[in-house]
Amino acid sequence: MNKFKVIFQPSGRRGEIEEDKTLLEAAQALGVDIEAVCGAKKICGKCKVRIEDGYFEKDNIDSSMDHLSPFTDDEKEHLKIEDGPGMRLACAAEIHGDVKVFVPERSRAGKQIVRKAAKELIIKLDPAVKKYNVNLPAPKLHDMTTGDMERVLKFMEDKYGLPGLVFDYETLKDLQDALRKGDWKTTVTVWMHKEIIKVEPGFVEPSYGLAVDVGTTTVVGYLCDLNTGKVVSTESMMNPQVPYGEDVMSRITYAMTNPDGLEKMQNAIIEGLNEIIDRTSSDLRTNGKNGGNVIVDLTIVFNTAMHHIFLGFNPVYIGRSPFIPAVQRSLNIKARDLGLRINPASYVHVLPIEAGFVGADNVGVLIAEEPYNQDETVLIIDIGTNGELLLGNRERVCSTSCATGPAFEGAQIKFGMRAAPGAIEKIKIDPETKDCLYKVIGKADWHTQLQEVNAKGICGSGIIDAVAEMFKSGIIDKSGKFNIDLDTIRVRLGSDGKPEYVLAWAEETSIGTDITITQADVRALQLAKGALYAGVKLMMQKMGIEKLDRVILAGAFGSFIDKESALAIGMFPDCDADKVYAVGNAAGDGARMALLNRDKRREAEERARWVEFVEIAVEPAFEKEFMMAMHFPHMKDKFPNLKTLLEKKNLPVTIKG
Amino acid sequence: MNKFKVIFQPSGRRGEIEEDKTLLEAAQALGVDIEAVCGAKKICGKCKVRIEDGYFEKDNIDSSMDHLSPFTDDEKEHLKIEDGPGMRLACAAEIHGDVKVFVPERSRAGKQIVRKAAKELIIKLDPAVKKYNVNLPAPKLHDMTTGDMERVLKFMEDKYGLPGLVFDYETLKDLQDALRKGDWKTTVTVWMHKEIIKVEPGFVEPSYGLAVDVGTTTVVGYLCDLNTGKVVSTESMMNPQVPYGEDVMSRITYAMTNPDGLEKMQNAIIEGLNEIIDRTSSDLRTNGKNGGNVIVDLTIVFNTAMHHIFLGFNPVYIGRSPFIPAVQRSLNIKARDLGLRINPASYVHVLPIEAGFVGADNVGVLIAEEPYNQDETVLIIDIGTNGELLLGNRERVCSTSCATGPAFEGAQIKFGMRAAPGAIEKIKIDPETKDCLYKVIGKADWHTQLQEVNAKGICGSGIIDAVAEMFKSGIIDKSGKFNIDLDTIRVRLGSDGKPEYVLAWAEETSIGTDITITQADVRALQLAKGALYAGVKLMMQKMGIEKLDRVILAGAFGSFIDKESALAIGMFPDCDADKVYAVGNAAGDGARMALLNRDKRREAEERARWVEFVEIAVEPAFEKEFMMAMHFPHMKDKFPNLKTLLEKKNLPVTIKG
């Protein structure tokens, strides 16, 4: 299978994509958000992109058009003269060579940038839901005492060694006609070797399952082919519960203070998932039925509050002492009872939770990373809207939830914002001049004064970078206090009379005012990182661990923070930088594993109970550790000069004096 | 417990009723239909009845009023001067002594007379659904890793020895609040030692189940107290599918010829059952919820076609060769999946069927009468709209379905009608004068010319009586042919030129024309009884049985035919008259037994498969047996003179000359 290099602008995302994939599929694989309202049906014409020439250093593109499939009639219908030259529909153009693509503003989905593309998993394929062909002789008069159901069940026992199967009632309704339409050949879909949840006339191959990760902010679904294990499509959206509260506690409060609050939020997430179901499955078609009906299995992970709201359990009791969840174990619930529009008889497998604070998403991380199979001591940090920790090895693993506060997500920061276009995500400060360079989400490169920058704010990874750089360049000291005696106009007193550092001048922004990091911002980040550090430190003490062998950063946020910055500010105890790595959406990986392998479900159930939950906030030592952890650590090395650094990376150097 | 004699007029139904029961309860127990729109809430005032004095031979009533509870305020509100003296509300007046009650026309429900009152069953009480009290300590902080569900499940295992229970999802939603409202005391309802299907705050006692018998024509529901086994209330109605077809085949045809025919008929019966659920349970109330929610279990029997339509299975395939049912085994289906408004997590237990023609109603008869536990050879005939037979003893039991045609139900008979007010149900013919006397449903006594008779037609038991009497008095001969040389004006040639017998003169009817039994009517009855007789005879031959030890007539119809008339026309092979008896609605009895005893469900499942289904119509010998069986049998005795007979019974003798 040939692969070609594809680069998307302005985001700069790039990767190797298989031949014949469409540009839209490439964009989805690389986490580039392109509007595709019709679900790649070539109807809506929203996914127009411009093909750009002469980008690659090796200059191996003579004409971009040869590197894509020929124009289709659908494209001719949608593309107009006024769209300008080089335009294609991303859902129609297939990749035949290296290509560079520009996604115009109007074709970009106006949503948060979703950085949850699925990575490849290595797992034995043994899904909970499997298809079987059934081939019966036509019945005779003497079969009158044996029903259609009994004949199918006997075949399943005799031929496949599956005794004692039961039939879902709704599925049973389809059996008579399926058998006769298929001339006594039929395909039955069996859940967990227990229950027949679908019958189709004739012999049918394709089988799909959906793995879902419901984050407080983002919902992502991975549609998987259950015969190959491959991800067929990935769809994501903002959690439609956001209007009811940005974070977990505000949604719990909403449920407490509104009589129908829980119902509203439950309906919102169910409808959101139905949209993801429609979008991932709209291209699939079996036996005349298309859409969600082809999906025969669904696994789902989320934090405890999202778990409760999704299931219609009152989340109030996990929000207050003694923080008792409604249920800890995994659950299997009929899709039709939840109102999810997949095959109605299929079960939604809800992964277990660990404790009132540590949810099924953490169990997903646990079974994806398997610290319980490691000799090395591993720390896994999953910072979504909540911070959850796993620490241990094959002997013992502890988990806890860390009240880091929302600073890592950009909240409580003066110019904080989500990781969305316009957010400053990377920052470098020259230790000599104290000037800075930064990169904005939605722009390909680091900012220069030659381009329109249009910065809007700072996202989580940007804040960590900024504070790390401010510390490394001496703008703030070990305690987080500003050094106001520096010879730079970027450090000044703000309107509150307290010092601040100017990251972007008003003319570089789209908000018409300077974007700054204030003393209060530094303090907020110190509180967040201090809580995290103290949490890890206490768990290490409790477990008698002195040194971390490995640190795994899970979650979208973990994938985008600069690990050297994280080490510089002391987000977690010291570890070799090359033993710190990001694994992406490990919670979603765990959901996919549970979809593709039955044993992983049992493993999740067992390990969720085996992991020891540690309640850190109640430890007497916490306060002291927390105070100490707010400081920045001693620097081990001199940091390189910014100019040298940028020149080495061939980036433009334009620093405002 | 004192019991008193209660007689209802004009139906003449009578029985011993326990003290303190209301007249309405007595009427329901005795199958007397009294309008009670409000469900005995004393609101509608529709159930007015008149108390009649001086009826009993022993003359032990001095004042009827002492034999009832005092007037209530509700009665005073509803009873008016113009209602006349001696009126009471049947739902308010309680029985304190023997009493005779007249039900005025306006208080009678205008429905078919339902003769399906529940008889007392002797059965070990071990229902499939049971309640358990759960008493937990309030949770502490260290319980954070254990959900509410897990704590309840652990209690059920530790305290009641019920490990591995699962929670119904909808029920799980109620758990958190139920535990906290009940101060950690709760009552859980468990199905078959497997699944928790209801949780209620605090300790709750009452527990109800509904046993349902869906006949082609009539639907009846028995609400039972699961703690005592007692029938709390009985409600019946016409099968709301009747508008789609009077008999099984016409409903199957309706499903074949109308795209939404099956759905319409399914909805009709579901809505009908919901009405029965509302009517039986409207008086019950637990924890603020009333109505069907208090019903936690439901068992149901019906013939195979009604079974398929109720479940939404296509009934077409059981209507044509090779007559394969969708399913033979028993099924447990969530009430919410069927749309039945009992406790939504409860299972509807559908009893198994025996074969394409022999339904769950016959399985109900089977487990109620238990021929497989008898040494004697028993024939059980269940003639509803279909005729089904069971024959055998503990060694072996065979079943078959008999194509008797609808003559027994009054169809295909010139003046045939259902067993409803106005139908002639009993007939005596004087062997000398060939004059006759008859009794009309809705009238207390045999007809006289002094009263308004208002006969409308003849019901099934009346036809059997008429033909038996015509044979016994020599009006027809052994072959069913009329003797037209008799000296009576009642035998004449009809408009078709064929002989007929006048049963009621036009002035005795409400239809303004003579009611007759025609030669064609006699032939129709001969076909029906011939099919039944031949069926039994063939089964006896097949099983090597020479003599029936006992004949049981099951079903409403079986309860009302005169067994001597049945023997006289040869409905079934000879048997001592005192070994022939009616058991009432045995199918419904079986449904009640399955409700009250779990073992009965297993017994039904096993015995439904153990019983040998015999397909009689395909037997080569059938035609010959059938031809022979159409004749009437040799008379063993002389029949007594009608006058002597009636005088002996103290009935008025007034024969039109």
Side-chain angles (χ1 to χ4, degrees), chain A residues 331-398:
Chain A
L331 295 173
N332 297 299
I333 302 169
K334 288 271 175 196
R336 62 172 175 262
D337 283 341
L338 285 167
L340 288 179
R341 291 193 291 273
I342 62 170
N343 176 51
S346 286
Y347 286 94
V348 171
H349 181 77
V350 178
L351 272 78
I353 64 173
E354 285 167 40
F357 295 148
V358 189
D361 46 3
N362 200 249
V363 175
V365 173
L366 185 70
I367 63 166
E369 299 305 323
E370 302 180 3
Y372 44 78
N373 289 334
Q374 314 295 328
D375 293 318
E376 288 185 321
T377 297
V378 188
L379 170 69
I380 307 173
I381 305 176
D382 189 8
I383 303 172
T385 310
N386 285 345
E388 287 165 0
L389 303 177
L390 287 164
L391 174 64
N393 50 38
R394 65 172 72 250
E395 303 297 325
R396 185 182 181 197
V397 174
C398 288

Side-chain angles (χ1 to χ4, degrees), chain A residues 114-126:
Chain A
V114 174
R115 295 156 154 181
K116 295 195 172 180
K119 71 172 184 187
E120 206 154 304
L121 300 179
I122 295 160
I123 187 164
K124 188 182 147 227
L125 201 59
D126 179 22

